[in-house]
Amino acid sequence: MTIEAQAPQRELQVPMQRTLAGSTSGAAIGRLGDDPFEPLSVGAMVERVAAMAVEKAAHPWAFFVRSLVGGVFVAFGVLLALVVSTGVKTPGIGSLLMGLAFGMSFVLILVSGMSLITADMAAGFLAVLKRSMRLRTYVFLVSVGLVGNIAGALVFVTVCGGAGGPYLGAFAERAATVGALKAGQPFWTAFLLAVACTWFLQTAMCMYFKARSDIARMAFAFYGPFAFVIGGTQHVIANVGFLGFPLLLNLFHPAAPRGGISWGFGDDGLLTDICITTVGNLVGGTLFVALPFWGIARLQRRQI
């Protein structure tokens, strides 16, 4: 997810009829067009999101660096979520605190213009559907974004794991508990929770690009990750942080628990979790977010 400086200019290029598709009154159209806070139409939003993906693919090295920093921000959110929930015995309160702390990481990504792979999955697929991006370019975009996000998250977790200090003791136990819960789910449970994650997370991203006011944008930016953390769903980069913390803490400080989590492809393995959640996130972002919004935009154009 990312804010593009060019987006507002692109927004102005959208014809008023498309921006306000669905209005039944000419007077109503005029009134809405004069309102700078009126949300964009679905079609205008699709244009903006697809253009964002095309711009990223056109600058692969810049995109890779943006993905690295985006992964760091996600891991930072994981750290905050584990800190605020350490020692909390009531599950619902613990989840609420985790969501409140974690949501800020995605706001950082949006405001700074960095990248998150799950947003790129949905945005890039919209560009493919609009035929402004080739399928092989989309595969390249997703691959580079995934590698960059994972690398950035692991770098941050490695720094914190090596530091130890406040991240040992009760924090390490909390990290091991959460990581084991994420890694220990059956295949279909993890897969479907990953689908659900990007289903509403990237819907929130689309609403972000549909909004015009800063307050509305920040609300959508915060609510998406806030909701998916509270819901206990699976996000591939967040899971790199949640599983990476107990693994790296145990690597540098053998007394720290790791909850039975491993690095490889076996049961409770980090690589296994990455594979399952990546596919689930991809399905959620493409089939349940990009495809419906693209279809709505096409239907709106036919009615004009």
Side-chain angles (χ1 to χ4, degrees):
M1 290 182 290
T2 159
I3 297 177
E4 296 300 333
Q6 296 85 355
Q9 298 174 4
R10 188 172 185 84
E11 169 190 331
L12 296 177
Q13 299 172 6
V14 180
M16 183 62 67
Q17 291 83 355
R18 291 176 59 188
T19 303
L20 302 172
S23 297
T24 57
S25 166
I29 290 177
R31 287 195 300 272
L32 294 179
D34 293 336
D35 186 356
F37 299 109
E38 181 66 24
L40 298 177
S41 71
V42 172
M45 177 272 293
V46 167
E47 292 284 346
R48 296 180 69 186
V49 174
M52 174 188 70
V54 172
E55 184 274 333
K56 288 181 178 181
H59 304 90
W61 283 111
F63 172 57
F64 179 69
V65 175
R66 291 161 72 176
S67 298
L68 282 172
V69 180
V72 171
F73 287 163
V74 172
F76 180 60
V78 170
L79 174 69
L80 296 181
L82 292 173
V83 168
V84 298
S85 62
T86 297
V88 179
K89 303 301 182 183
T90 305
I93 300 299
S95 297
L96 175 62
L97 293 173
M98 290 180 71
L100 288 171
F102 188 81
M104 288 306 300
S105 66
F106 286 80
V107 175
L108 288 174
I109 290 173
L110 287 169
V111 172
S112 64
M114 299 302 110
S115 263
L116 182 65
I117 181 59
T118 47
D120 299 328
M121 289 173 175
F125 196 64
L126 276 173
V128 171
L129 292 172
K130 285 177 52 57
R131 298 184 181 179
S132 56
M133 178 183 290
R134 295 183 178 181
L135 184 59
R136 65 182 181 183
T137 304
Y138 175 67
V139 173
F140 173 79
L141 183 78
V142 171
S143 301
V144 171
L146 181 64
V147 171
N149 276 173
I150 291 175
L154 286 177
V155 167
F156 181 83
V157 174
T158 300
V159 171
C160 294
Y167 308 131
L168 299 176
F171 175 91
E173 293 177 4
R174 173 64 176 167
T177 300
V178 174
L181 180 63
K182 294 282 187 182
Q185 293 176 336
F187 172 84
W188 283 110
T189 299
F191 173 78
L192 292 175
L193 287 177
V195 172
C197 175
T198 42
W199 192 343
F200 56 76
L201 177 61
Q202 301 319 318
T203 297
M205 176 202 72
C206 289
M207 294 302 97
Y208 169 86
F209 281 101
K210 200 173 187 296
R212 294 196 188 189
S213 72
D214 290 340
I215 293 176
R217 287 173 177 171
M218 291 302 99
F220 285 125
F222 183 87
Y223 182 77
F226 167 77
F228 95 66
V229 170
I230 289 182
T233 60
Q234 299 266 19
H235 186 279
V236 57
I237 307 305
N239 280 12
V240 171
F242 283 121
L243 274 64
F245 265 110
L247 286 171
L248 269 301
L249 284 170
N250 178 262
L251 178 65
F252 290 107
H253 313 277
R258 53 189 268 180
I261 305 170
S262 66
W263 289 97
F265 286 103
D267 294 339
D268 299 337
L270 175 61
L271 292 179
T272 299
D273 185 86
I274 288 175
C275 292
I276 295 173
T277 53
T278 296
V279 177
N281 288 162
L282 182 65
V283 171
T286 56
L287 299 186
F288 292 97
V289 179
L291 187 60
F293 277 120
W294 172 78
I296 292 169
R298 284 179 59 86
L299 289 172
Q300 287 181 335
R301 285 198 296 271
R302 290 178 181 178
Q303 295 174 358
I304 296 175

